[in-house]
Amino acid sequence: MKKVICALGLAVASVSSALATTYPLTIENCGYKETFTKAPERVVALGQNTVEILLLLGLEDKVKASAFWPTKVLPQLAEQNAKIKTLTVEIPTLESVLAQNPDFVPAQTPLLLGPESKVAKRDDLMTLGVNSYVSPGMCATKKATGDMYGSRQKLWDMTYLYQEIEDFAKIFNVEDRGQAVIADFKKREADLRKEFGKSKKDLSFVFWFSSSSPSADAYVGGKNSPSGFIASLMGGHNAITSETEWPTVGWESIIAANPDVIVVSSLDRNRWALDNAEEKIKFLKSDPAVSQLDAVKKGHIVVMDGQAMNPTIRTIYGAEQVGEQLRKLGLN
């Protein structure tokens, strides 16, 4: 990992510093136009992905507080993140956000900043003179009433993420850093496609995020979600056919799908016992019906960072985790 960081640092240094943002800058984002007269100085970042992008861009001194962390920060960003106040690892209150006197509130999902958000609506922040931003990848979903995460008619891909990095780099006048980060991700994605895209196995995957209890339906990655993107990178496909971003699926349906590989998430939030990867694996191997799945009997169970199932920078890291385990299983 240190080699990756060093390489990225060299890439940043090699990109021309001639790139510079001209203010006022207007960014179009998810149906809103946000005008910045200067780079923000007091950011409250809602969502792990939002924070980690800002840290990759070297902007920790601009971020005053954060919230909503499904897992721990990337290890190579831990020192930078330690300087930032964590309001809560769950959903923050609007009062706690405004108490930081923010001039910019970017968010990972509409759950944190959208029409049905429990925190705030973008119009509310605009009235207060505070700029906002929502991850473009989440705005590409089609939402039904009561469905906070929506559904996707088109497979998510990294272009949404590259747009987000590029937008932040412009907003904070660090476009050279943004280009270096994007170049690093593009190379890693290309490397995975080169290795696994040639596979003739067309493996089917189920990506199990969590369940509230062993008797409850499983929250899984939908057909066109980042989980589907990872399956595609691995030269396979998602066994879940629902276009809902986060469908709840009964184990009878998963048994009927009979995936070649089951990917279980590892989460640090500890909301439910089955947030823990080991607890998921224990269930898979002990349940009388589920244990008869071919993937379970063959040991084709792999563990992946749960945040990688969200449309985030972690998705490529998760794909690399899955790829490493598929190699060991002889499935590459």
Side-chain angles (χ1 to χ4, degrees):
M1 184 60 72
K2 288 183 178 178
K3 290 182 178 178
V4 173
I5 299 169
C6 290
L8 183 55
L10 289 172
V12 171
S14 67
V15 176
S16 171
S17 60
L19 291 172
T21 299
T22 300
Y23 299 99
L25 168 72
T26 299
I27 293 285
E28 292 191 18
N29 168 248
C30 298
Y32 283 78
K33 289 186 177 181
E34 301 282 347
T35 299
F36 298 81
T37 57
K38 62 177 183 177
E41 295 287 340
R42 298 191 58 83
V43 181
V44 176
L46 305 181
Q48 180 168 353
N49 182 61
T50 305
V51 183
E52 290 184 333
I53 290 176
L54 295 172
L55 294 181
L56 282 175
L57 294 174
L59 297 168
E60 60 272 16
D61 292 340
K62 306 290 186 181
V63 184
K64 303 306 175 185
S66 71
F68 200 69
W69 288 85
T71 59
K72 294 176 182 176
V73 69
L74 282 168
Q76 66 267 38
L77 299 176
E79 186 175 344
Q80 293 166 269
N81 190 58
K83 303 175 183 178
I84 299 169
K85 180 179 181 180
T86 301
L87 300 178
T88 173
V89 297
E90 296 287 351
I91 299 172
T93 64
L94 176 59
E95 291 75 17
S96 68
V97 172
L98 295 180
Q100 310 307 313
N101 191 28
D103 57 3
F104 184 38
V105 181
Q108 179 177 326
T109 76
L111 172 70
L112 300 165
L113 192 62
E116 301 173 43
S117 172
K118 297 178 181 179
V119 183
K121 298 175 177 60
R122 293 186 70 171
D123 290 335
D124 296 334
L125 292 176
M126 190 174 288
T127 300
L128 296 172
V130 178
N131 287 112
S132 62
Y133 186 96
V134 174
S135 174
M138 290 306 300
C139 300
T141 59
K142 180 180 179 181
K143 294 181 60 179
T145 303
D147 183 2
M148 187 61 68
Y149 295 102
S151 60
R152 291 184 192 274
Q153 286 69 54
K154 179 184 176 184
L155 183 64
W156 180 89
D157 63 42
M158 297 283 285
T159 57
Y160 295 111
L161 186 63
Y162 300 149
Q163 180 64 57
E164 189 168 4
I165 296 169
E166 189 175 283
D167 284 345
F168 284 157
K170 287 180 180 177
I171 290 168
F172 289 92
N173 193 21
V174 290
E175 289 189 69
D176 51 351
R177 300 180 198 173
Q179 287 191 6
V181 171
I182 291 170
D184 174 59
F185 284 143
K186 284 185 174 180
K187 182 183 183 304
R188 291 160 66 179
E189 179 182 353
D191 288 346
L192 287 171
R193 287 196 185 281
K194 183 177 180 181
E195 178 180 358
F196 291 94
K198 297 176 182 178
S199 174
K200 304 298 182 184
K201 293 183 174 66
D202 190 25
L203 298 172
S204 61
F205 293 80
V206 164
F207 292 77
W208 181 18
F209 186 77
S210 194
S211 297
S212 58
S213 71
S215 61
D217 290 347
Y219 286 93
V220 297
K223 173 184 177 181
N224 293 323
S225 70
S227 295
F229 170 76
I230 293 174
S232 175
L233 266 186
M234 297 296 106
H237 64 278
N238 195 337
I240 302 301
T241 58
S242 172
E243 292 183 343
T244 301
E245 184 83 338
W246 288 108
T248 51
V249 179
W251 284 102
E252 297 85 357
S253 297
I254 295 175
I255 290 169
N258 197 24
D260 296 308
V261 180
I262 298 175
V263 181
V264 301
S265 78
S266 174
L267 296 164
D268 296 318
R269 67 182 187 181
N270 292 322
R271 184 182 298 170
W272 301 317
L274 285 169
D275 284 349
N276 183 279
E278 287 73 21
E279 289 296 319
K280 290 187 182 73
I281 294 171
K282 185 189 299 184
F283 167 80
L284 292 173
K285 292 182 176 180
S286 63
D287 183 86
V290 178
S291 62
Q292 298 308 301
L293 279 166
D294 287 344
V296 179
K297 290 194 289 185
K298 293 177 180 178
H300 293 173
I301 302 170
V302 303
V303 179
M304 185 180 77
D305 169 26
Q307 176 71 338
M309 295 185 190
N310 288 314
T312 66
I313 61 167
R314 289 297 188 94
T315 300
I316 198 69
Y317 290 87
E320 290 168 338
Q321 283 182 304
V322 173
E324 181 178 358
Q325 292 167 81
L326 291 183
R327 288 186 205 103
K328 292 178 180 178
L329 291 169
L331 295 175
N332 58 332

